[in-house]
Amino acid sequence: MPRQRMIPGDHGRITERSRGGKFYATTYVRDSDGKRRRVERSSDRSAEDARRLLQRHLKGRRPPIAGQEITDRSSLAELFDVWILAKAAEDGVSEQTADQYRQVWAKHGALQLGALRIGEVDTKRAQRHLQDMGATTQAKRLRMILVGMFSMAVRFGVITVNPIREAKPSRATAKTVVREILPDDLVRVRTAVRAYADREGPGPRPGRLLPAFVDLLVATGARPNEVLALRWSDCDPGGEPPTVTIRGTLIDHGRIAGKPLHRQDRRKGDAPEHTVVLPRLGVEALEALKAESIGDGPVFANRDGGWISLANMRRSLRAALPEEMRTRITPHTFRRAVATVVRDALGSEKAQQQLSHAKLATTEKHYLQRHTHGPDVRAVLDEYTSVRK
């Protein structure tokens, strides 16, 4: 009687052998595509241990897909290399974002997890690693990367469930509080940066453009690198009304591997260009800069006519501010301050429009100082409680 052929998913008899002090367990599996494949596992301990490893592998084994680059024997390092290429090609993430992912993986994932195979990482192991990183932005980014990597492994059929989705990094104990810059504090800041720019002494003055930079941050509420990326063709200080149009952002040194400081001709997240109406403060800042500029290039130009990095502006601002202000006021603080001022006068939706956020929730969560005093509702409550039975 002929031997019955295995049905898809079945495996044959497991055979054991030893060689050079190592033990092997081998069998043949008929996969769902009908093909018969040899599967083997080894152990340094015993033949029975090799058999157990093979049986454990057979329970969770998925057949390889023709032409796929990822299998159950692929390491996380190999999975990351495939995922990051697909992320850029299929999802269209920017070069600088992809490079940030590479940096996070190189520092927090490659050495710690890279040698593990895909099936060797479970939720418990991922949770422990993320928790050990603490309540950091890097831990959140690594989790996002791992979720994407293991989602790809699920699509390849290597695993059936993404083990990272239930793994959570440590939660921050204290939330960053958004604080406005009060009018008196803004006067102190502007006075300090003007004094720093006008100081006398030999050699060039690093902070010569700092007052105009601070004034345009306040006048627009734009991101610092969007202000530094302004060109004169983006500005119309003599218009009715006077405006600037934000069309790009500046990418600092080292943000993309191998690339120097340069202008990216699109906004963060490929957002559409954003036109802002300028108050008097912004018009005066641009008029002062125009008087010293040559050509139609950068509004904030260095002595050679090129771009100025945010790192240099941040360093100058820190040097100019009084000691007690240096830790709480950075270039990005002005964006939050503008959002809060506009919200208090005109409402949250106007603040969202000024900052050009796609969602009102983003403005409210990250850019507005929280109200800590309730409104005067005495008349409403008095009327409510005056009703008698």
Side-chain angles (χ1 to χ4, degrees):
M1 181 177 176
R3 187 170 59 181
Q4 187 177 1
R5 191 178 187 186
M6 292 185 295
I7 65 173
D10 278 358
H11 65 84
R13 182 170 64 89
I14 296 177
T15 60
E16 301 162 0
R17 62 187 173 86
S18 63
R19 186 180 63 208
K22 199 163 189 176
F23 301 91
Y24 298 85
T26 307
T27 189
Y28 283 89
V29 177
R30 189 172 182 227
D31 284 320
S32 56
D33 58 2
K35 292 184 179 180
R36 185 169 169 265
R37 295 182 175 90
R38 184 173 180 270
V39 183
E40 182 179 87
R41 287 295 181 269
S42 63
S43 171
D44 295 323
R45 298 170 59 187
S46 66
E48 183 59 32
D49 190 51
R51 174 183 283 269
R52 281 195 299 268
L53 290 174
L54 178 57
Q55 290 172 332
R56 186 182 305 159
H57 167 72
L58 291 172
K59 287 182 180 179
R61 183 175 183 276
R62 297 292 179 271
I65 301 172
Q68 77 172 26
E69 299 179 73
I70 298 300
T71 69
D72 58 347
R73 298 185 69 83
S74 299
S75 68
L76 261 63
E78 294 168 334
L79 177 60
F80 175 80
D81 290 340
V82 176
W83 174 80
I84 194 66
L85 290 175
K87 191 72 175 171
E90 297 171 9
D91 295 350
V93 298
S94 67
E95 190 176 353
Q96 90 183 70
T97 300
D99 204 63
Q100 288 175 358
Y101 293 160
R102 291 188 182 97
Q103 292 173 15
V104 172
W105 174 252
K107 185 173 182 180
H108 300 288
L111 293 178
Q112 300 87 343
L113 303 172
L116 294 170
R117 290 178 179 171
I118 295 172
E120 293 175 335
V121 178
D122 57 12
T123 302
K124 182 178 180 181
R125 186 190 292 270
Q127 173 81 5
R128 183 168 61 246
H129 180 62
L130 293 172
Q131 292 280 329
D132 288 345
M133 290 178 64
T136 62
T137 301
Q138 299 292 295
K140 294 180 181 177
R141 287 177 179 169
L142 180 62
R143 181 186 179 275
M144 184 275 297
I145 291 169
L146 290 172
V147 167
M149 289 167 57
F150 279 85
S151 291
M152 170 174 277
V154 172
R155 293 194 298 273
F156 272 118
V158 177
I159 54 177
T160 57
V161 177
N162 189 329
I164 312 300
R165 294 204 179 275
E166 299 304 320
K168 305 293 182 184
S170 297
R171 190 172 182 177
T173 55
K175 184 179 178 181
T176 301
V177 178
V178 178
R179 298 190 183 281
E180 63 180 327
I181 302 176
L182 297 174
D184 289 347
D185 284 340
L186 182 59
V187 170
R188 291 182 64 198
V189 169
R190 295 185 67 217
T191 301
V193 298
R194 174 58 63 190
Y196 182 75
D198 293 342
R199 69 194 186 284
E200 297 182 358
R205 293 173 295 144
R208 65 186 180 86
L209 298 176
L210 186 60
F213 177 57
V214 169
D215 286 353
L216 278 172
L217 289 175
V218 175
T220 62
R223 298 178 180 91
N225 268 327
E226 291 177 335
V227 171
L228 291 176
L230 287 172
R231 303 161 300 188
W232 285 111
S233 58
D234 302 322
C235 305
D236 186 16
E240 282 296 334
T243 61
V244 296
T245 300
I246 299 163
R247 297 187 171 97
T249 188
L250 216 58
I251 307 300
D252 228 328
H253 303 279
R255 291 292 297 277
I256 298 177
K259 284 198 174 184
L261 174 71
H262 64 283
R263 185 183 189 275
Q264 176 180 281
D265 295 327
R266 61 182 186 277
R267 297 180 61 218
K268 181 179 179 181
D270 289 328
E273 62 182 43
H274 179 57
T275 299
V276 177
V277 178
L278 290 175
R280 183 176 62 255
L281 183 74
V283 174
E284 292 173 352
L286 285 177
E287 289 175 343
L289 288 172
K290 189 64 175 176
E292 300 178 5
S293 69
I294 300 176
D296 295 324
V299 171
F300 292 92
N302 60 27
R303 297 182 188 281
D304 298 324
W307 303 105
I308 292 180
S309 74
L310 178 58
N312 287 340
M313 282 297 194
R314 189 185 291 115
R315 187 162 47 246
S316 295
L317 179 62
R318 192 164 50 244
L321 291 175
E323 184 74 30
E324 69 275 12
M325 286 186 166
R326 290 175 184 172
T327 57
R328 65 184 181 90
I329 294 182
T330 68
H332 204 76
T333 306
F334 297 100
R335 181 166 166 83
R336 297 188 176 98
V338 169
T340 298
V341 169
V342 173
R343 187 274 312 272
D344 290 348
L346 303 174
S348 296
E349 290 187 359
K350 293 297 184 183
Q352 175 198 1
Q353 294 172 23
Q354 181 72 20
L355 269 58
S356 184
H357 283 144
K359 297 179 180 179
L360 179 58
T362 303
T363 311
E364 292 178 332
K365 182 177 180 180
H366 300 289
Y367 288 87
L368 298 179
Q369 183 179 24
R370 187 170 180 174
H371 285 303
T372 56
H373 294 280
D376 188 349
V377 295
R378 288 175 293 178
V380 174
L381 294 179
D382 283 344
E383 180 179 354
Y384 174 63
T385 57
S386 64
V387 177
R388 295 288 186 268
K389 289 185 179 180

